[in-house]
Amino acid sequence: MEKIPQSVREPLHRVDSRLKVTGAARYSAEYPLPGLVYAALVTSTIAKGSIKSIDSKAAGNAPGVLAVISHKNTIRPPGYPADNEHPTEPSTRGQPLRVFYSNQIYFNGQPIAIVVADTFERATYAASLVKIEYSKDEHRTDFHANTGKAVLPESAKKNPRSALADYDRGAIDGYKHAAVKLEAEYEHPAEMHNPMELQAITVHWEAHNKLTLYDKVQGTQPTQQNFAREWKLPVENVKVIAPFVGGAFGNGLHNWPHETAAIIAAKMVKRPVKLMLTREQMFFMVGYRPRTWQKVGIGASVDGRIVGISHSSIGQTSSYEQFTESTLQQSRMMYTSPNVSTRYKILPLDVSTPIWMRGPGEATGAFALESAMDELAYLLKMDPLAFRLLNYTDADPEKKLPWSTKFLKECFEMGSKAIGWDKRKLEPGTLSDGHWKIGYGMGVGTFGANRGGAKVRAKLFANGSLVLQSAVTDIGPGTGTAMTQVAVDHTGISPNSITFQLGNSEFPQAGNQGGSSTVNSVGSAVIAACMALKKNLLALADKNIPEFKGLTLEQVIFEKDGIRLKDKDVGMSLSELMKKSGTADLDVIEEAKPGEERKSYSMYSYSVHFAEVHVHSITGMVKVKKVVTCADAGVILNKKTAGNQMIGGVTGGIGMALQEDAVMDHRFGRYITKDFADYHVPVHADVPDIEVFFADKPDYIVDPMGTKGIGEIAIIGVAPAITNAIFNATGKRIRKLPVTPDKLI
């Protein structure tokens, strides 16, 4: 793999910031199509059973109503299986909910009808007039009452080598033979996706077989392919537009029933249809981090060397679709241990399907593992940082491969110094300031340095401006800014002359924005496209500038919007070169994809988070006073946007540790935390001073830029850093999140 040298960069401001702050950025619910009408959903009020009758007469007669659609009168997407309520060959993971497919109810809040009207207000009012009569069945929504019904995922049953299958290295439950050991159970509640932008879709059937979707998604082409299958259309006849996405971090990685409902409605009324979910519907219709129970057994010798780790997990899923995640990955590879056992199960309940949420699985698993590491360090009377350093892995113990790079020790050093780790006392409750008890904690995170294939189109115009195109979306991290930075580094064109266009399924290939892989994947394709442009430009220079005759790329420099010789002050601007050559523009499409590197190396990003917390001894109030977060994420393309990512991850981790908890009333199987009054997320007053550090060392095995990925590790390990600090302050170990004052009084 070609190595691209790291350049000295001034961080770019976000290239789309002016569009966003002026309101020029257009989101999925903001396309004013001719003839646009509005939709509102009717959702179930029981958790399991069937619909006996639907009385839609009053709704249908309400002013402005164009249609009331349910299973009784819907058209069915031709891609739905013909009669597949109980298929003889079910897919490994079940299947997504087929909206309006039958009268069956699988969860409380399931969309069962959609009302279309000429205004949003009329659609909403008419939806309230629809009357439903049900036949109720006994439902199961209580996680604790049903853990005995947890099962091995079907994918693990079919493939014993699956990452979800039972895993053993060395002796099973080898920790039990250690001189010092710990067994503890940890619980993580369901956490809900609540980005600023509600899930919304605008649907336009441009012809009976041509569909355009303005949709809030994390992948335009995966969405395009999904709905092309669902409606049995040629892929090129489905267009997905998503240039701006107001946060997602997981819930845009799945196509949900409301999207199909809106597509059905637009098909039936023969008008463009807009559907936006309510804040309450966001809690049960578009995924969430699943409630998860974990048990960790861990043991060490008296000198602190880990003898064994056993980690078991049960995660919640729906009754109709198996959702799984990598809860146990970190326990298999983070620390040296000759004996490791992991067991993963899922618990089907009468709830909607969960989905990935930032740091999917790993953030949940790290809470248990990093808490257990802190607990065992205390039993050993060791400093938690020293304990981790003693059990540091210099190669992947799971895959038995060398790391592509690993600079976690450097992160330990930077972070511990910045937080003032030397002030931490081994004995809890030692430090205080009046009624406030002071504690310090740490947590480690890791996530795979993933990379996929991608293509980028690069078009250099005669005036020297460059336009890049990719189907990738940007859910907030600043993808357009990062890709512009890559193009600046590899063409020498000034950022003001570069435009990165994204979020359109008609642009060159890109997958979902997720898994911390976008920069690695799309950025590599940007480099490939820039390299192709430079070859074309050198060919033009060879023909039009005598001093460039017969030169190679190694003998020239592209900078300051031009090309010049390395050893002489001879050159020309790109616009002048193209004008002289008579070339109107240069247009290339290039692909980049990973090679065989993963067969020889294990590739991960790493993080460590240090927290200082103050706990009020009388009220139990917790204040996170300072967090220091440090990432080994390869080369950092833009320290400003990367720093924003780390700060955002810490903010989410504060929510995990102290606030977020989706509470369900199991009498009805319905969440009672359904808005920001009852479901709490961190606000400015909850977020302390956050210092961000980066190892900033390249990993050219992962990709030619030397990047590794940062989005997930920003949150993985934050929650245990805070709960470990709470223990250090109070001596109280809280293993069930969130840590609320009542648990500390």
Side-chain angles (χ1 to χ4, degrees):
M1 181 183 292
E2 180 189 7
K3 295 182 179 181
I4 306 297
Q6 180 182 4
S7 63
V8 178
R9 302 178 180 90
E10 281 295 322
L12 290 180
H13 298 303
R14 286 182 179 255
V15 297
D16 56 2
S17 58
R18 182 175 294 275
L19 293 173
K20 289 182 175 178
V21 300
T22 61
R26 188 166 283 175
Y27 293 82
S28 61
E30 296 180 324
Y31 288 85
L33 303 180
L36 182 68
V37 293
Y38 302 82
L41 291 171
V42 179
T43 60
S44 69
T45 56
I46 66 168
K48 187 177 182 180
S50 60
I51 299 169
K52 287 174 64 176
S53 66
I54 296 180
D55 182 358
S56 60
K57 185 176 181 180
N61 290 332
V65 171
L66 302 176
V68 181
I69 303 165
S70 69
H71 73 279
K72 295 175 65 176
N73 63 340
T74 186
I75 58 171
R76 287 190 177 181
Y80 277 179
D83 187 16
N84 203 22
E85 200 66 45
H86 298 287
T88 56
E89 292 287 336
S91 65
T92 299
R93 297 170 62 86
Q95 58 188 341
L97 181 75
R98 292 164 293 176
V99 68
F100 310 152
Y101 184 81
S102 72
N103 67 339
Q104 294 299 301
I105 301 297
Y106 298 97
F107 62 91
N108 200 318
Q110 175 181 321
I112 55 178
I114 187 168
V115 178
V116 185
D118 58 359
T119 70
F120 166 75
E121 292 80 6
R122 284 174 163 178
T124 302
Y125 171 68
S128 71
L129 301 178
V130 178
K131 294 180 173 58
I132 314 292
E133 188 178 355
Y134 301 97
S135 291
K136 293 183 183 179
D137 293 338
E138 184 178 352
H139 62 263
R140 294 189 309 174
T141 57
D142 191 330
F143 184 94
H144 298 101
N146 291 283
T147 52
K149 298 180 176 66
V151 297
L152 190 69
E154 288 297 320
S155 57
K157 291 179 183 177
K158 293 184 176 182
N159 179 13
R161 300 186 66 179
S162 162
L164 302 173
D166 292 354
Y167 171 83
D168 292 299
R169 181 170 76 238
I172 298 175
D173 291 337
Y175 77 92
K176 292 183 176 180
H177 305 293
V180 182
K181 54 184 176 287
L182 164 82
E183 289 184 350
E185 295 182 13
Y186 303 88
E187 188 173 337
H188 199 294
E191 292 179 355
M192 301 317 200
H193 283 290
N194 269 294
M196 286 193 294
E197 183 194 14
L198 299 165
Q199 274 286 347
I201 183 172
T202 303
V203 181
H204 183 201
W205 284 94
E206 298 188 39
H208 77 280
N209 64 345
K210 193 171 182 181
L211 176 63
T212 297
L213 306 174
Y214 304 89
D215 203 358
K216 182 181 179 179
V217 294
Q218 288 176 240
T220 61
Q221 289 177 341
T223 299
Q224 174 194 42
Q225 292 154 13
N226 179 67
F227 287 120
R229 285 192 302 269
E230 186 173 275
W231 291 90
K232 289 193 173 180
L233 297 172
V235 171
E236 61 272 17
N237 282 20
V238 179
K239 182 163 65 174
V240 180
I241 309 295
F244 295 97
V245 179
F249 301 93
N251 76 333
L253 291 172
H254 194 296
N255 290 125
W256 301 103
H258 77 271
E259 293 166 286
T260 296
I263 296 170
I264 289 172
K267 187 82 166 174
M268 292 181 67
V269 301
K270 296 180 173 56
R271 300 268 293 273
V273 168
K274 179 196 297 187
L275 172 64
M276 176 179 279
L277 299 189
T278 66
R279 181 59 68 183
E280 181 177 0
Q281 288 168 348
M282 292 288 293
F283 280 78
F284 46 72
M285 210 177 289
V286 291
Y288 51 91
R289 195 190 300 276
R291 180 173 290 276
T292 305
W293 168 91
Q294 300 176 77
K295 182 177 181 180
V296 175
I298 185 170
S301 59
V302 291
D303 64 352
R305 297 188 183 275
I306 296 175
V307 171
I309 301 173
S310 291
H311 191 170
S312 299
S313 173
I314 298 175
Q316 175 177 307
T317 189
S318 67
S319 63
Y320 53 89
E321 187 176 12
Q322 293 198 356
F323 173 78
T324 60
E325 56 182 2
S326 303
T327 311
L328 307 177
Q329 178 62 36
Q330 190 163 319
S331 293
R332 296 200 290 260
M333 46 67 67
M334 179 55 77
Y335 301 109
T336 55
S337 176
N339 307 299
V340 175
S341 300
T342 63
R343 302 289 185 268
Y344 179 74
K345 291 184 177 182
I346 52 176
L347 176 58
L349 295 172
D350 298 314
V351 295
S352 60
T353 301
I355 196 59
W356 299 286
M357 197 171 188
R358 192 177 194 178
E362 281 84 350
T364 305
F367 167 61
L369 176 65
E370 292 299 301
S371 296
M373 288 289 291
D374 194 78
E375 294 197 52
L376 186 57
Y378 180 71
L379 293 177
L380 291 163
K381 294 181 170 54
M382 287 185 68
D383 177 86
L385 177 55
F387 180 45
R388 286 171 172 83
L389 285 168
L390 182 64
N391 293 282
Y392 191 86
T393 52
D394 293 314
D396 188 337
E398 179 190 12
K399 299 176 183 175
K400 297 180 173 56
L401 292 173
W403 307 117
S404 55
T405 57
K406 184 178 182 182
F407 300 105
L408 185 56
K409 283 183 179 179
E410 288 83 344
C411 292
F412 284 166
E413 183 177 353
M414 285 187 284
S416 61
K417 182 178 179 180
I419 198 71
W421 191 254
D422 57 343
K423 298 195 295 286
R424 182 188 185 276
K425 304 300 181 184
L426 188 63
E427 194 58 36
T430 303
L431 299 176
S432 63
D433 180 9
H435 290 298
W436 293 95
K437 297 179 179 180
I438 302 171
Y440 294 86
M442 66 175 293
V444 176
T446 187
F447 197 83
N450 302 308
R451 179 186 170 192
K455 295 179 181 179
V456 164
R457 181 182 187 183
K459 191 168 186 177
L460 182 64
F461 293 90
N463 64 1
S465 64
L466 174 62
V467 172
L468 302 163
Q469 292 179 333
S470 169
V472 71
T473 60
D474 180 1
I475 61 173
T479 300
T481 306
M483 297 303 105
T484 301
Q485 181 75 69
V486 173
V488 169
D489 292 344
H490 294 278
T491 63
I493 298 174
S494 60
N496 291 338
S497 297
I498 298 175
T499 302
F500 185 76
Q501 297 177 344
L502 76 171
N504 187 322
S505 60
E506 294 184 331
F507 290 165
Q509 170 210 338
N512 283 312
Q513 178 160 100
S516 301
S517 62
T518 298
V519 169
N520 301 348
S521 306
V522 181
S524 298
V526 170
I527 290 176
C530 291
M531 185 64 68
L533 282 181
K534 289 194 289 187
K535 289 178 180 177
N536 289 340
L537 288 165
L538 183 60
L540 294 180
D542 179 87
K543 293 178 181 178
N544 293 280
I545 309 175
E547 293 88 347
F548 283 73
K549 190 71 177 178
L551 297 185
T552 65
L553 284 173
E554 289 70 28
Q555 295 172 294
V556 301
I557 293 176
F558 290 84
E559 65 177 10
K560 297 180 180 179
D561 296 290
I563 181 173
R564 68 174 179 84
L565 299 179
K566 267 189 178 179
D567 53 357
K568 293 181 182 179
D569 190 18
V570 176
M572 186 178 290
S573 71
L574 299 184
S575 58
E576 186 180 356
L577 173 61
M578 294 177 73
K579 181 179 179 181
K580 188 172 184 179
S581 66
T583 302
D585 55 62
L586 297 174
D587 194 348
V588 299
I589 297 178
E590 293 294 324
E591 181 179 16
K593 53 187 177 182
E596 299 295 309
E597 298 86 6
R598 290 189 181 276
K599 294 182 179 179
S600 302
Y601 295 92
S602 186
M603 306 178 192
Y604 287 89
S605 293
Y606 304 90
S607 61
V608 59
H609 313 280
F610 292 90
E612 176 190 339
V613 305
H614 293 197
V615 183
H616 198 274
S617 58
I618 298 174
T619 66
M621 180 181 180
V622 177
K623 286 185 179 180
V624 181
K625 296 293 288 186
K626 183 176 181 179
V627 173
V628 174
T629 179
C630 187
D632 167 23
V635 167
I636 304 303
L637 297 180
N638 187 314
K639 289 190 176 180
K640 182 184 294 184
T641 55
N644 289 344
Q645 282 293 291
M646 297 301 290
I647 291 169
V650 170
T651 303
I654 292 171
M656 287 177 63
L658 303 178
Q659 296 177 330
E660 296 190 56
D661 186 4
V663 178
M664 179 175 282
D665 185 337
H666 295 296
R667 294 174 301 170
F668 309 105
R670 192 175 185 93
Y671 287 107
I672 56 176
T673 48
K674 56 183 175 56
D675 52 35
F676 288 140
D678 296 315
Y679 184 88
H680 294 172
V681 296
V683 297
H684 285 293
D686 301 312
V687 181
D689 176 31
I690 300 171
E691 287 191 58
V692 180
F693 295 89
F694 298 105
D696 200 17
K697 294 184 178 181
D699 188 328
Y700 293 121
I701 295 171
V702 173
D703 62 58
M705 293 164 292
T707 59
K708 291 203 292 187
I710 206 168
E712 318 297 346
I713 58 169
I715 193 172
I716 299 168
V718 175
I722 293 170
T723 57
N724 291 339
I726 290 171
F727 172 78
N728 184 242
T730 66
K732 294 182 179 180
R733 177 68 63 180
I734 309 301
R735 301 188 180 107
K736 182 177 180 180
L737 295 180
V739 184
T740 47
D742 57 295
K743 297 175 182 177
L744 295 172
I745 296 174

